[in-house]
Amino acid sequence: MPFSLGSNSNNTSTSSDKPTDIELMSYAQTILQDNLNNPTYSHYKGDYTFINTNLRYKIEGNVTLNNSKEKFYMIIEFLDKTYKEYDLISLQVGNDTIYKK
């Protein structure tokens, strides 16, 4: 299921600009919120790791569920170089696979 990103009149990026770390962190937080029950996570971009290969991004960080802090790993893939829509490819929290396409 592709996630569509809303337009923002304050957004100065052009249609072919890659997403910023802040944008990637926001996408990760949205995915965590949509797929986990009441997660808490950092709002500081330095607490995340972003690895880019073509249109795919691997995002790593920590999430707390039920008072237990776990490492999460997710892979998202943008549909094209406009970077406006992406698919969630996989989400793993600790040793548990939450989603895999």
Side-chain angles (χ1 to χ4, degrees), residues 7 22 31 40 42 49 51 54 60 62 64 70 74 80 83 88 93 98 101:
S7 64
I22 296 282
I31 290 168
T40 56
S42 175
T49 302
I51 302 165
N54 297 320
E60 301 175 9
N62 292 304
T64 302
E70 297 279 352
M74 70 175 64
D80 57 36
Y83 299 99
L88 176 61
V93 176
I98 306 301
K101 187 173 181 179

Side-chain angles (χ1 to χ4, degrees), residues 35-77:
N35 289 279
L36 303 174
N37 186 20
N38 200 23
T40 56
Y41 38 78
S42 175
H43 296 281
Y44 173 62
K45 74 175 181 176
D47 290 338
Y48 296 81
T49 302
F50 308 101
I51 302 165
N52 171 232
T53 305
N54 297 320
L55 294 174
R56 280 192 178 205
Y57 285 83
K58 181 178 182 184
I59 305 170
E60 301 175 9
N62 292 304
V63 63
T64 302
L65 297 168
N66 303 319
N67 296 320
S68 176
K69 189 174 184 178
E70 297 279 352
K71 188 89 169 157
F72 76 81
Y73 310 88
M74 70 175 64
I75 297 173
I76 62 173
E77 183 172 29

